[in-house]
Amino acid sequence: MAQGNDPAHAFAPHDHAACQARGLDEAEARLARQGAKLTPVRRRTLEILLEAHRAMGAYEVLDRLAEDGFGKQPPVVYRALEFLVQHGLAHRLQRLNAFAACAHPGHEHAPVFLICRSCDRVAETEAAPVRDRLSKAAQAHGFTVERATIEAVGLCGTCAEAGRA
């Protein structure tokens, strides 16, 4: 697994500029394949989400956009975030009512989110085994899972070692 795709990578100190550059490159390539484009506000919204491996609320993103001259109207940020989610470039984290940049925008996937309750960093990891078991359990009850967001909350290794319980 490449360093940028390793869930532990999100919780460890690293050259984050490389993550940002990779994320923007993969986003542009994905959108080109889909026939869509990053407008300036969409691009800046993605850049803001890529600045850290953590989830951000829409109003936190809006404040940052306003600092950059994009205005302070909530529909601006919600449209940009909706576009990013719709095109697989960001995820909405239900538990936090927040958004995080997708760690794997180059391919279709349905991740499990690992959320540190102390530092708010978020990592994505492969969910296929968990989703397979969920689907089988649901099918045993005659239920078909159409959509599921799996979010695990706990402490990352750094916070656990620092005693930030």
Side-chain angles (χ1 to χ4, degrees):
M1 181 177 284
Q3 183 179 14
N5 294 335
D6 180 358
H9 182 69
F11 300 121
H14 61 279
D15 176 7
H16 199 68
C19 289
Q20 289 175 291
R22 179 182 56 84
L24 283 172
D25 289 347
E26 289 178 359
E28 288 176 348
R30 181 179 181 107
L31 290 175
R33 288 190 304 271
Q34 295 174 348
K37 293 188 180 196
L38 281 177
T39 62
V41 72
R42 291 171 182 167
R43 172 180 275 288
R44 184 61 190 131
T45 300
L46 182 57
E47 289 171 347
I48 290 167
L49 292 176
L50 286 167
E51 287 175 359
H53 292 286
R54 68 180 188 87
M56 299 178 76
Y59 280 89
E60 183 179 1
V61 175
L62 181 61
D63 289 342
R64 297 284 305 282
L65 287 172
E67 290 172 10
D68 294 335
F70 288 102
K72 187 91 170 151
Q73 301 301 315
V76 170
V77 73
Y78 282 110
R79 281 193 298 266
L81 290 167
E82 181 181 323
F83 174 88
L84 296 176
V85 169
Q86 178 183 0
H87 289 278
L89 304 176
H91 299 289
R92 185 170 192 280
L93 302 171
Q94 304 296 325
R95 184 184 191 295
L96 301 176
N97 193 24
F99 299 84
C102 179
H104 312 287
H107 67 280
E108 294 299 321
H109 63 290
V112 169
F113 298 100
L114 308 175
I115 305 166
C116 180
R117 65 177 166 76
S118 180
C119 68
D120 293 327
R121 287 197 179 119
V122 177
E124 289 181 40
T125 190
E126 181 56 46
V130 175
R131 290 182 184 281
D132 289 345
R133 290 191 58 136
L134 175 62
S135 291
K136 286 178 184 170
Q139 287 173 354
H141 298 287
F143 185 84
T144 301
V145 176
E146 293 177 347
R147 182 175 51 107
T149 301
I150 302 170
E151 302 174 7
V153 178
L155 287 173
C156 70
T158 302
C159 290
E161 286 178 20
R164 296 183 196 149

